[in-house]
Every structure is written in structure tokens, then in C-alpha cells.
Amino acid sequence: IKTLLLTKKGERVMQPNFGSGLQELLFDFNDDLLSTKIEETITTALETWLPYIVVQQINVQQSNDNKDKNTVGISVSFNVRNNPDLNTVSFKIG
């Protein structure tokens, strides 16, 4: 999941549509809409490339700290279809 979400579209050889598009959001304003855009981008990528993943929650943490104001923390809680175990992957972009 982390590889898919951090891959830029066009970066993978022979699969130009593989990736999430999160990198395209790097220079958007860090406002309330950014969180929604990130959630939609993640949901679309997972539905397209990993349809067996069931997303339980996407948590986007935007920093108000001047030192880290250009960083967004993302946490995706999910399980695999037909498997009730909950997993979480977390990372930062910025």
C-alpha cells in the first residue's frame, strides 16, 4: 500500500497509470480542502489497484507547527477482504 501511494503516476515502467497522485498534491495549500483531496486520492488509488483492500479509516494530520508546517502525516487503517485483522500503514509526505 505504501509503495502504491508514494509512487508517482508515470514513474513505473510499462505501467504509466500506476500510482496514487499524492505527489501532485505536494504544492497545494495546506488548508482544510487538502485533507479531503488526500483522502479521495488514496481511496481512488486503492480501489483501482488493490480492490481486495477494505479501507476502515484514513487519518490526515496537518501540522500547525511552523517547523513542520509543510508536512502532512497520513495513516490508513485497512483490512484485507475476508480477513478481519486490522492493519495500519503510516507515512509522511512533504
Side-chain angles (χ1 to χ4, degrees), residues 34-89:
L34 181 61
S35 178
T36 303
K37 289 178 187 178
I38 289 172
E39 289 179 29
E40 290 173 354
T41 300
I42 290 171
T43 301
T44 301
L46 293 176
E47 287 174 352
T48 302
W49 294 101
L50 304 173
Y52 51 87
I53 297 295
V54 179
V55 176
Q56 300 299 327
Q57 183 178 13
I58 299 173
N59 186 14
V60 178
Q61 295 178 324
Q62 296 168 270
S63 178
N64 292 329
D65 181 15
N66 284 335
K67 189 170 81 173
D68 273 338
K69 69 180 178 181
N70 296 324
T71 302
V72 176
I74 300 170
S75 177
V76 180
S77 297
F78 66 95
N79 58 340
V80 179
R81 222 176 278 288
N82 299 324
N83 185 346
D85 295 338
L86 186 65
N87 300 289
T88 301
V89 61

